[in-house]
Amino acid sequence: MDLNKINNVYFLGIGGIGMSGLARYFKFIGKEVAGYDKTTSEITSGLTALGIAIHYDEAIDNIPADFKNIENTLVVYTPAVPSDNSEYGYFVSNGFNIQKRAAVLGLITKDSYCFAVAGTHGKTTTSAILAHILKETGTSITAFLGGVSENFNSNFLIEGDEFTVVEADEFDRSFLHLSPSVACITSIDADHLDIYGDKEEMERTFVAFSEKVKPGGKLFVKSGLPINGITYGIEDNSDFSIRNLTITDSTYLFDLVTPTEHVRGVRFNKPGKHNLLNALAALAMATTIDTPLSRLAEALATFKGIKRRFSYHINQEDLIYIDDYAHHPTEIDAVFEAVKSAHPNKKTTVIFQPHLFSRTKDFAPEFSKSLANFDEIILLDIYPAREKPIEGITADWLLEMISSDNKQKVEKRDLTEVLRKSDSQVFLSLGAGDIGLEVNTIKKALSEKIC
């Protein structure tokens, strides 16, 4: 497919974080862009402000006339769009060029020096850190991120086209469409078992991704993963290692040891050793181009974070509210470690919205163990996303498994009242569903406790 011959790009599911980044890219390079999504959001509002036409009622008649021209229209879809979507059916039955988001991302990046970050956890933060430090050091990059960077308030960045930074998404084996020059694998935990069946198949697919690296390219892997590559780790003998780690005023200070250099006094401001590993991975990847390591390390200190990744909404001595995207037991454990490191000896309440019936079913024992670490647990109903309910798999079912005397299932409409009664000092909202839409409500309810 020759993207130069495409004039119109139509997105089915344009409000998705990955899809919206592609929409911004095509609009930036002068294509006509339009799309459909089920609901409005902050993301779709941002796209509309760019002049992108979006509608929310699924109907063939709502597709703009220019985008019904088969000769110069590309249709991009996400697996989250059901196969019985009427607009999808229209494009299929009429022979349009229809591509998955991942395939289009592969086409855009194949001729660039592509940095691809893979992993069941950490890829959004790692790719955002990498994009930030490359931008700050004057690199000609285009970045497609799976979250909104707080440094440039977007999930898309374009400062040139020589280098690209992308998330390599393992869902639906999407990352096999990429051909990176430099790749990184941050983690391989069992997930998406509705796609892979078991962890062994997932590991085999990550190996297949590692083999997609271009000849002469480099692969970085977190120390301990079952894939050969250049290793990185903390206080160990990895090829890239963090040494002499200390914490001062919630800031990590450390030495960075590489196969050829030793840089002292590196600073990083995001709590949690999982975030520290993400920063190390980004630095290691960035060393593959001609930028002094000391300059990369200096840029790291100005990284602000990603929205919904350990994002503070209240940060006072006796009242803290943090929102995070964590939706897997390993991620919840990482958040717990980070909050206890940053705010020790404070009573902590977690508000958790399980994401997907299948994931809740597959990892219920692990979820129950991870959530039991918190002093108070508030469960919301399972967010279904693309799935239909599974009989017997409910938030109440998960709640019963949690070994805690201070737990409850709460409806969203009752959340404010429950929070007002809590005597915790630290509150966290976790999940990958629509719990992010409750942040302002939670913040307001907690702020009223201060008054």
Side-chain angles (χ1 to χ4, degrees):
M1 179 176 59
D2 186 353
L3 292 177
N4 292 322
K5 296 179 180 178
I6 298 296
N7 184 63
N8 305 318
V9 188
Y10 188 83
F11 288 85
L12 287 167
I14 196 169
I17 193 71
M19 293 282 276
S20 63
L22 282 180
R24 287 176 178 272
Y25 169 78
F26 281 116
K27 184 68 175 178
F28 183 89
I29 65 172
K31 308 295 185 183
E32 295 298 318
V33 180
Y36 156 80
D37 210 291
K38 288 196 301 183
T39 57
T40 60
S41 66
E42 187 175 343
I43 288 175
T44 57
S45 296
L47 295 177
T48 301
L50 295 176
I52 296 174
I54 302 175
H55 62 270
Y56 305 94
D57 295 319
E58 176 192 332
I60 296 168
D61 289 344
N62 287 334
I63 302 171
D66 289 347
F67 292 81
K68 292 181 178 179
N69 183 341
I70 192 173
E71 299 299 326
N72 65 1
T73 298
L74 168 65
V75 179
V76 186
Y77 75 100
T78 168
V81 172
S83 58
D84 61 356
N85 178 281
S86 62
E87 296 187 22
Y88 176 80
Y90 167 80
F91 289 119
V92 170
S93 61
N94 285 280
F96 277 74
N97 185 356
I98 305 173
Q99 299 288 337
K100 283 185 178 181
R101 179 194 68 86
V104 176
L105 189 60
L107 281 171
I108 292 171
T109 61
K110 69 182 178 65
D111 294 326
S112 70
Y113 188 101
C114 177
F115 295 95
V117 182
T120 46
H121 323 293
K123 56 184 174 287
T124 297
T125 301
T126 302
S127 55
I129 295 171
L130 178 58
H132 169 70
I133 61 177
L134 292 178
K135 175 182 182 295
E136 289 298 295
T137 52
T139 307
S140 171
I141 65 162
T142 297
F144 300 89
L145 307 178
V148 176
S149 165
E150 293 183 357
N151 285 91
F152 40 88
N153 197 33
S154 179
N155 60 334
F156 172 68
L157 174 70
I158 186 161
E159 299 277 316
D161 59 7
E162 184 180 357
F163 300 89
T164 53
V165 175
V166 301
E167 284 193 33
D169 188 4
E170 76 280 0
F171 176 74
D172 201 28
R173 298 177 173 83
S174 293
F175 56 4
L176 298 182
H177 288 282
L178 300 172
S179 301
S181 307
V182 177
C184 174
I185 299 176
T186 64
S187 53
I188 309 175
D189 287 311
D191 200 5
H192 305 301
L193 298 186
D194 54 327
I195 300 294
Y196 289 99
D198 54 41
K199 184 179 181 182
E200 288 71 26
E201 176 60 21
M202 171 170 270
E203 288 182 355
R204 283 190 288 270
T205 308
F206 270 91
V207 171
F209 167 73
S210 73
E211 295 168 350
K212 302 290 287 185
V213 176
K214 293 175 181 176
K218 293 185 177 181
L219 173 68
F220 295 86
V221 297
K222 189 181 78 170
S223 180
L225 292 182
I227 293 180
N228 293 326
I230 303 167
T231 57
Y232 66 93
I234 299 175
E235 302 287 3
D236 61 13
N237 294 319
S238 297
D239 299 308
F240 285 75
S241 179
I242 285 174
R243 306 279 179 85
N244 303 320
L245 178 64
T246 60
I247 303 175
T248 303
D249 295 329
S250 299
T251 297
Y252 285 116
L253 299 174
F254 58 90
D255 294 348
L256 175 59
V257 179
T258 81
T260 59
E261 295 184 73
H262 187 157
V263 178
R264 293 177 170 81
V266 183
R267 303 173 63 88
F268 184 62
N269 299 312
K270 299 299 291 182
K273 288 192 176 180
H274 64 299
N275 280 322
L276 198 56
L277 282 165
N278 296 333
L280 177 58
L283 284 169
M285 295 177 79
T287 63
T288 61
I289 61 176
D290 282 336
T291 301
L293 181 59
S294 58
R295 181 70 187 93
L296 294 169
E298 181 182 337
L300 180 66
T302 60
F303 177 70
K304 296 179 181 178
I306 304 168
K307 291 183 179 179
R308 298 219 66 225
R309 300 307 195 276
F310 214 83
S311 298
Y312 282 89
H313 292 274
I314 300 174
N315 190 4
Q316 300 185 15
E317 178 62 29
D318 293 321
L319 184 61
I320 293 148
Y321 170 41
I322 299 164
D323 179 52
D324 194 276
Y325 191 72
H327 56 284
H328 184 280
T330 301
E331 296 168 346
I332 295 172
D333 289 341
V335 168
F336 178 78
E337 182 272 327
V339 78
K340 286 303 179 185
S341 172
H343 307 289
N345 305 317
K346 293 183 184 294
K347 184 176 180 180
T348 304
T349 291
V350 63
I351 308 156
F352 178 59
Q353 181 188 51
H355 184 259
L356 299 178
F357 296 103
S358 60
R359 181 180 283 122
T360 306
K361 175 177 177 289
D362 290 336
F363 300 106
E366 292 84 356
F367 276 123
S368 62
K369 183 178 179 180
S370 297
L371 292 169
N373 287 321
F374 295 91
D375 300 302
E376 181 180 21
I377 302 123
I378 297 173
L379 276 190
L380 303 181
D381 282 318
I382 297 172
Y383 183 78
R386 59 186 180 271
E387 293 186 337
K388 297 186 183 301
I390 298 174
E391 185 176 355
I393 307 303
T394 65
D396 290 298
W397 171 77
L398 177 61
L399 187 73
E400 286 297 313
M401 294 188 186
I402 301 172
S403 178
S404 172
D405 295 327
N406 197 358
K407 61 182 181 179
Q408 58 183 312
K409 158 71 183 351
V410 174
E411 300 294 329
K412 285 183 184 176
R413 63 177 179 270
D414 300 324
L415 191 54
T416 294
E417 182 180 352
V418 171
L419 292 175
R420 285 173 178 161
K421 294 178 180 178
S422 174
D423 62 352
S424 287
Q425 297 163 293
V426 179
F427 295 83
L428 300 105
S429 53
L430 307 182
D434 61 2
I435 189 171
L437 300 177
E438 302 300 316
V439 166
N440 288 336
T441 299
I442 294 170
K443 181 178 179 180
K444 184 175 183 295
L446 295 176
S447 296
E448 290 171 355
K449 293 164 65 74
I450 304 173
C451 301

